[in-house]
Amino acid sequence: MELRYKKRMLEFQVPAGTSRGKLQTKPSYFLFLEHNNTIGVGECSIIPKLSIDHREDYEERLETTIKAFNSRVDLPDLTDFPSIEAGIQMAVDSLEDQRTKQTSGKAYTKHFHPIEINGLVWMGDYDFMKWQIDELMAKKFTCIKLKIGGIDFDQEIALLEYIRKEYKRLITIRLDANGAFSPKDALSRLKKLKKYHIHSIEQPIEVGNLKVLKELCQTSPIPIALDEELIKTAPAVGKYALLNYIRPQFIVIKPSLLGGYLNALEWIGIAENLHIGWWITSALESNVGLNSIASWIGQYDLTIPQGLGTGSLFKNNIQVPLSIKNGYLRQNKRGTWQDLKSI
């Protein structure tokens, strides 16, 4: 059994805009785990300015980890490199799945039921965001998530006005501020958003303002979901301590940014114990990582839309048998896998 990796720069179809800026490309590191001519594949996905392991010594730690894995010795501490931990879990699961079903050349063959997902509206000017909304509505999404905080707040309000006026059918609206609101004006903005019947807003203020965030979760007229807080604050204060103190209404779980599926399951268990809702979101993985996450979470009884709608983001994505229809991520039985050796 041997593990190796290959780096690939994924190129966005259109710039991915958030309140932290725009991304034109992002790095992913594909892990190939080979045994008896069967190859399992995983993906280490890094989001610039968000992933805690987006750092200069990343490839050095990845190479050290792979050397230890192949030498059958204890792996180095990966606490600060959650994407590597996640990628290894994906590769091992992928290989085991193929060996169990005696298949080869497919990263995953686990069957999962269609997963309802939210459509994603990236940050941009009013016309660009409106165009994205109309595209998602034409594709019959019933849940959409808008990235906000990067343009004038009044224009963002106007977009919500447009959705509620133009589309009479029931549409669930999620917002993601990526920490763009200041602690001083966050509550007043949340109150202005109330009339648009918002399902939730992710990370309204910057990470680390725990006291303010706790107060917002108690007083906000809109349910609050933690995202970046799980990635950047939790390693220092602990999972249970963080959620028990802040008591958000939801948490957003990105396995690649939180150390893989075992850590994700721990977050889910703590959240459910504290009666906090949750959903799973991909972390700008290629279709390889997206398929792995969908295969994992799709085996569970899901009650709300997940954030797995990133499969068409990249010009140079990997071909896998996934498709999105009427707001659901599905396995395409007639689809084909790209030869893993060509990645």
Side-chain angles (χ1 to χ4, degrees):
M1 187 178 295
E2 183 178 17
L3 184 66
R4 56 186 173 82
Y5 83 94
K6 182 177 181 180
K7 181 180 180 180
R8 183 169 182 154
M9 293 300 295
L10 298 174
E11 303 173 8
F12 287 90
Q13 300 276 9
V14 295
T18 73
S19 60
R20 292 188 298 269
K22 292 184 178 181
L23 292 175
Q24 303 278 356
T25 62
K26 69 162 294 291
S28 271
Y29 296 82
F30 293 95
L31 301 182
F32 302 93
L33 183 58
E34 187 167 4
H35 180 69
N36 291 339
N37 295 319
T38 299
I39 300 176
V41 63
E43 181 176 357
C44 306
S45 179
I46 301 174
I47 302 179
K49 299 183 180 180
L50 177 58
S51 300
I52 63 172
D53 45 4
H54 181 233
R55 39 195 279 183
E56 291 184 359
D57 61 344
Y58 185 87
E59 288 195 48
E60 178 182 342
R61 178 57 61 92
L62 179 58
E63 290 171 356
T64 300
T65 302
I66 289 174
K67 183 177 180 179
F69 185 98
N70 291 335
S71 299
R72 310 296 188 268
V73 299
D74 291 340
L75 301 184
D77 182 14
L78 295 175
T79 302
D80 294 332
F81 295 86
S83 66
I84 297 178
E85 191 170 5
I88 291 174
Q89 288 180 27
M90 288 184 190
V92 171
D93 286 353
S94 169
L95 182 64
E96 286 300 316
D97 188 59
Q98 293 180 71
R99 290 170 64 182
T100 299
K101 298 180 180 178
Q102 297 182 337
T103 60
S104 181
K106 300 180 180 180
Y108 263 89
T109 56
K110 291 179 182 176
H111 174 72
F112 62 86
H113 297 291
I115 301 171
E116 186 176 9
I117 61 176
N118 61 239
L120 185 57
V121 178
W122 290 100
M123 183 60 59
D125 61 27
Y126 177 91
D127 290 336
F128 176 60
M129 295 182 72
K130 178 178 175 294
W131 172 79
Q132 292 179 81
I133 292 167
D134 291 336
E135 286 286 299
L136 293 173
M137 293 299 97
K139 294 176 181 177
K140 299 183 179 181
F141 279 84
T142 59
C143 179
I144 61 174
K145 183 173 85 170
L146 282 73
K147 295 279 189 178
I148 65 170
I151 62 174
D152 182 75
F153 185 63
D154 289 337
Q155 286 191 311
E156 292 169 343
I157 290 290
L159 285 167
L160 297 175
E161 289 270 11
Y162 171 76
I163 295 171
R164 290 305 185 205
K165 181 179 179 180
E166 184 70 17
Y167 298 101
K168 304 299 183 184
R169 61 188 171 91
L170 183 62
I171 298 168
T172 299
I173 299 177
R174 293 172 174 170
L175 302 177
D176 185 0
N178 290 126
F181 296 169
S182 74
K184 183 178 180 180
D185 66 12
L187 184 58
S188 64
R189 290 195 170 191
L190 293 171
K191 289 179 177 178
K192 290 179 181 179
L193 293 168
K194 178 184 177 181
K195 64 181 290 187
Y196 302 104
H197 306 287
I198 304 301
H199 170 269
S200 57
I201 181 168
E202 296 178 34
Q203 203 67 44
I205 62 174
E206 189 57 78
V207 299
N209 296 288
L210 300 188
K211 183 178 179 180
V212 177
L213 193 54
K214 176 182 176 69
E215 293 173 352
L216 282 177
C217 289
Q218 294 173 341
T219 58
S220 171
I222 296 173
I224 290 176
L226 300 191
D227 181 1
E228 287 92 335
E229 213 74 53
L230 309 187
I231 300 163
K232 295 189 175 181
T233 305
V237 304
K239 298 181 180 71
Y240 181 85
L242 179 71
L243 296 189
N244 188 46
Y245 177 72
I246 298 177
R247 295 288 178 135
Q249 286 72 38
F250 296 97
I251 60 172
V252 181
I253 301 170
K254 295 182 172 76
S256 289
L257 274 63
L258 297 174
Y261 302 139
L262 297 180
N263 276 305
L265 286 173
E266 187 177 356
W267 277 111
I268 290 171
I270 294 170
E272 291 184 342
N273 180 259
L274 295 173
H275 305 290
I276 295 169
W278 57 271
W279 66 85
I280 302 295
T281 298
S282 50
L284 300 184
E285 293 91 353
S286 74
N287 279 334
V288 168
L290 177 63
N291 180 72
S292 175
I293 296 171
S295 296
W296 166 67
I297 198 61
Q299 301 172 79
Y300 294 86
D301 184 19
L302 305 173
T303 59
I304 61 175
Q306 307 296 296
L308 303 177
T310 57
S312 60
L313 289 179
F314 305 110
K315 297 177 183 178
N316 56 338
N317 213 331
I318 313 303
Q319 183 179 347
V320 304
L322 292 177
S323 62
I324 297 175
K325 184 177 181 181
N326 297 336
Y328 281 80
L329 181 67
R330 307 168 187 268
Q331 287 179 317
N332 185 354
K333 295 181 180 180
R334 297 181 179 179
T336 58
W337 277 92
Q338 181 173 329
D339 182 359
L340 297 181
K341 294 181 180 180
S342 70
I343 295 178

